[in-house]
Coordinates of all heavy atoms in Angstrom, one line a residue:
D154 N -28.1 -40.1 -6.2 CA -26.8 -40.2 -6.9 C -26.3 -38.9 -7.4 O -25.1 -38.7 -7.5 CB -27.0 -41.2 -8.1 CG -27.3 -42.6 -7.6 OD1 -27.0 -43.0 -6.5 OD2 -27.9 -43.4 -8.4
R155 N -27.2 -37.9 -7.5 CA -26.7 -36.6 -8.0 C -26.2 -35.8 -6.9 O -25.4 -34.8 -7.1 CB -27.9 -35.9 -8.7 CG -28.4 -36.5 -10.0 CD -29.4 -35.6 -10.6 NE -29.8 -36.2 -11.9 CZ -29.2 -36.1 -13.1 NH1 -28.1 -35.4 -13.1 NH2 -29.7 -36.7 -14.1
G156 N -26.6 -36.1 -5.6 CA -26.0 -35.4 -4.5 C -27.1 -34.7 -3.6 O -26.7 -34.3 -2.4
G157 N -28.3 -34.6 -4.0 CA -29.3 -33.9 -3.2 C -30.2 -34.9 -2.5 O -30.0 -36.1 -2.6
W158 N -31.3 -34.4 -1.9 CA -32.2 -35.3 -1.1 C -33.6 -35.0 -1.6 O -33.9 -33.9 -2.1 CB -32.1 -35.0 0.4 CG -31.0 -35.7 1.0 CD1 -31.0 -36.8 1.7 CD2 -29.6 -35.3 1.1 NE1 -29.8 -37.2 2.2 CE2 -28.9 -36.2 1.8 CE3 -28.9 -34.2 0.5 CZ2 -27.5 -36.1 2.1 CZ3 -27.5 -34.1 0.8 CH2 -26.8 -35.0 1.5
P159 N -34.6 -35.9 -1.4 CA -36.0 -35.7 -1.7 C -36.7 -34.9 -0.7 O -36.2 -34.7 0.4 CB -36.5 -37.1 -1.8 CG -35.7 -37.9 -0.7 CD -34.3 -37.3 -0.8
K160 N -37.9 -34.4 -1.1 CA -38.6 -33.6 -0.1 C -39.8 -34.4 0.5 O -40.1 -35.4 0.0 CB -39.2 -32.3 -0.8 CG -40.3 -32.6 -1.8 CD -40.9 -31.3 -2.4 CE -42.0 -31.6 -3.4 NZ -42.7 -30.3 -3.8
N161 N -40.3 -33.8 1.6 CA -41.4 -34.4 2.3 C -41.2 -35.9 2.7 O -42.1 -36.7 2.8 CB -42.7 -34.4 1.4 CG -43.1 -32.9 1.1 OD1 -42.7 -32.0 1.8 ND2 -43.8 -32.7 0.0
V162 N -39.9 -36.2 3.0 CA -39.5 -37.5 3.6 C -38.7 -37.2 4.8 O -37.8 -36.4 4.8 CB -38.7 -38.3 2.5 CG1 -38.2 -39.6 3.1 CG2 -39.5 -38.5 1.2
D163 N -39.0 -38.0 5.9 CA -38.2 -37.9 7.1 C -36.9 -38.7 6.8 O -37.0 -39.9 7.0 CB -38.9 -38.3 8.3 CG -38.1 -38.1 9.6 OD1 -36.9 -37.7 9.5 OD2 -38.7 -38.2 10.7
T164 N -35.8 -38.1 6.4 CA -34.6 -38.8 6.1 C -33.8 -39.2 7.3 O -32.7 -39.8 7.2 CB -33.7 -37.9 5.2 OG1 -33.4 -36.7 5.9 CG2 -34.4 -37.6 3.9
T165 N -34.4 -38.9 8.5 CA -33.6 -39.2 9.8 C -34.2 -40.4 10.5 O -33.4 -41.0 11.4 CB -33.7 -38.0 10.7 OG1 -35.0 -37.8 11.2 CG2 -33.2 -36.7 10.0
A166 N -35.4 -40.8 10.3 CA -36.0 -41.8 11.2 C -35.6 -43.2 11.0 O -35.4 -44.0 11.9 CB -37.6 -41.7 11.0
R167 N -35.3 -43.6 9.7 CA -34.9 -45.0 9.4 C -34.2 -45.0 8.1 O -34.3 -44.0 7.3 CB -36.1 -45.9 9.3 CG -37.1 -45.5 8.3 CD -38.4 -46.3 8.3 NE -39.1 -46.1 9.6 CZ -39.9 -45.1 10.0 NH1 -40.1 -44.2 9.1 NH2 -40.4 -45.0 11.1
P168 N -33.4 -46.0 7.8 CA -32.6 -46.0 6.5 C -33.6 -46.2 5.3 O -34.7 -46.7 5.5 CB -31.7 -47.2 6.7 CG -31.8 -47.6 8.1 CD -33.1 -47.1 8.7
Y169 N -33.1 -45.6 4.2 CA -33.9 -45.9 3.0 C -33.9 -47.3 2.6 O -32.9 -48.0 2.7 CB -33.3 -45.1 1.8 CG -33.9 -45.4 0.5 CD1 -35.2 -45.0 0.2 CD2 -33.2 -46.1 -0.5 CE1 -35.7 -45.3 -1.1 CE2 -33.7 -46.4 -1.7 CZ -35.0 -46.0 -2.0 OH -35.6 -46.3 -3.2
S170 N -35.1 -47.9 2.3 CA -35.2 -49.3 2.0 C -35.9 -49.6 0.7 O -36.3 -50.7 0.5 CB -35.9 -50.0 3.2 OG -37.2 -49.4 3.3
G171 N -36.1 -48.6 -0.1 CA -36.8 -48.8 -1.4 C -35.9 -49.4 -2.4 O -34.8 -49.7 -2.2
A172 N -36.6 -49.7 -3.6 CA -35.9 -50.4 -4.6 C -35.6 -49.4 -5.8 O -34.8 -49.8 -6.7 CB -36.7 -51.6 -5.1
D173 N -36.3 -48.3 -5.9 CA -36.2 -47.4 -7.0 C -35.6 -46.1 -6.6 O -36.3 -45.1 -6.3 CB -37.5 -47.2 -7.7 CG -37.4 -46.5 -9.1 OD1 -36.4 -45.9 -9.3 OD2 -38.4 -46.6 -9.8
R174 N -34.3 -46.0 -6.5 CA -33.6 -44.8 -6.0 C -33.9 -43.6 -6.9 O -34.1 -42.5 -6.4 CB -32.1 -45.0 -5.8 CG -31.7 -46.0 -4.8 CD -30.2 -46.1 -4.7 NE -29.6 -44.8 -4.3 CZ -29.5 -44.4 -3.0 NH1 -29.9 -45.1 -2.0 NH2 -28.9 -43.2 -2.8
A175 N -33.9 -43.8 -8.2 CA -34.1 -42.7 -9.1 C -35.5 -42.0 -8.9 O -35.6 -40.8 -9.0 CB -33.9 -43.1 -10.5
K176 N -36.5 -42.8 -8.6 CA -37.8 -42.3 -8.4 C -38.0 -41.8 -7.0 O -38.6 -40.7 -6.8 CB -38.8 -43.4 -8.8 CG -40.3 -43.0 -8.6 CD -41.2 -44.1 -8.9 CE -42.7 -43.7 -8.6 NZ -43.6 -44.8 -8.9
D177 N -37.6 -42.6 -6.1 CA -37.9 -42.3 -4.6 C -37.1 -41.1 -4.1 O -37.5 -40.4 -3.2 CB -37.6 -43.5 -3.8 CG -38.5 -44.7 -4.1 OD1 -39.6 -44.5 -4.7 OD2 -38.2 -45.8 -3.7
L178 N -35.9 -41.0 -4.7 CA -34.9 -40.0 -4.1 C -34.7 -38.9 -5.1 O -33.6 -38.3 -5.1 CB -33.6 -40.7 -3.7 CG -33.7 -41.9 -2.8 CD1 -32.4 -42.5 -2.5 CD2 -34.5 -41.6 -1.6
A179 N -35.7 -38.5 -5.8 CA -35.5 -37.3 -6.8 C -35.1 -36.1 -6.0 O -35.9 -35.6 -5.1 CB -36.8 -37.1 -7.5
P180 N -34.0 -35.6 -6.2 CA -33.5 -34.5 -5.3 C -34.2 -33.1 -5.7 O -34.5 -32.9 -6.8 CB -32.0 -34.4 -5.6 CG -31.9 -34.9 -7.0 CD -33.0 -36.0 -7.2
T181 N -34.3 -32.3 -4.7 CA -35.0 -31.0 -4.8 C -34.5 -30.0 -3.8 O -33.8 -30.4 -2.8 CB -36.5 -31.1 -4.7 OG1 -37.1 -29.9 -4.9 CG2 -36.9 -31.7 -3.4
F182 N -34.8 -28.7 -4.0 CA -34.5 -27.7 -3.0 C -35.8 -27.2 -2.3 O -35.7 -26.3 -1.5 CB -33.8 -26.5 -3.7 CG -32.5 -26.9 -4.4 CD1 -32.4 -26.6 -5.8 CD2 -31.5 -27.7 -3.8 CE1 -31.3 -27.0 -6.5 CE2 -30.4 -28.0 -4.6 CZ -30.3 -27.7 -5.9
D183 N -36.9 -27.8 -2.6 CA -38.2 -27.4 -2.1 C -38.3 -27.9 -0.7 O -37.8 -29.0 -0.3 CB -39.3 -28.0 -3.0 CG -40.6 -27.3 -2.7 OD1 -40.7 -26.2 -2.3 OD2 -41.7 -28.0 -3.0
N184 N -39.1 -27.1 0.1 CA -39.5 -27.5 1.5 C -38.3 -27.9 2.4 O -38.3 -28.7 3.3 CB -40.4 -28.7 1.5 CG -41.8 -28.4 1.0 OD1 -42.1 -27.2 0.6 ND2 -42.7 -29.3 1.0
G185 N -37.1 -27.2 2.1 CA -36.0 -27.4 3.0 C -35.1 -28.6 2.6 O -34.1 -28.9 3.3
A186 N -35.6 -29.4 1.6 CA -34.8 -30.6 1.2 C -33.4 -30.2 0.7 O -33.2 -29.1 0.2 CB -35.5 -31.3 0.1
T187 N -32.5 -31.0 1.0 CA -31.0 -30.9 0.6 C -30.3 -30.0 1.5 O -29.3 -30.4 2.1 CB -30.9 -30.5 -0.9 OG1 -31.5 -31.5 -1.7 CG2 -29.4 -30.3 -1.3

C-alpha cells in the first residue's frame, strides 16, 4: 500500500494470495526489492 515491494519473494511467478498484506508485503530496498 505504501508503494514498495517485499524482499526475498519471487514477485513474478504467481499472484499474491496471502491474507495479511501489511505483514507479507513489508516494503524494503534490500536485496534489490522495489
Side-chain angles (χ1 to χ4, degrees):
D154 294 340
R155 293 188 180 277
W158 279 262
K160 69 175 180 177
N161 299 337
V162 175
D163 187 349
T164 57
T165 68
R167 60 189 58 84
Y169 172 71
S170 59
D173 191 342
R174 293 183 61 84
K176 179 181 178 181
D177 297 341
L178 306 183
T181 180
F182 306 123
D183 193 27
N184 287 4
T187 299

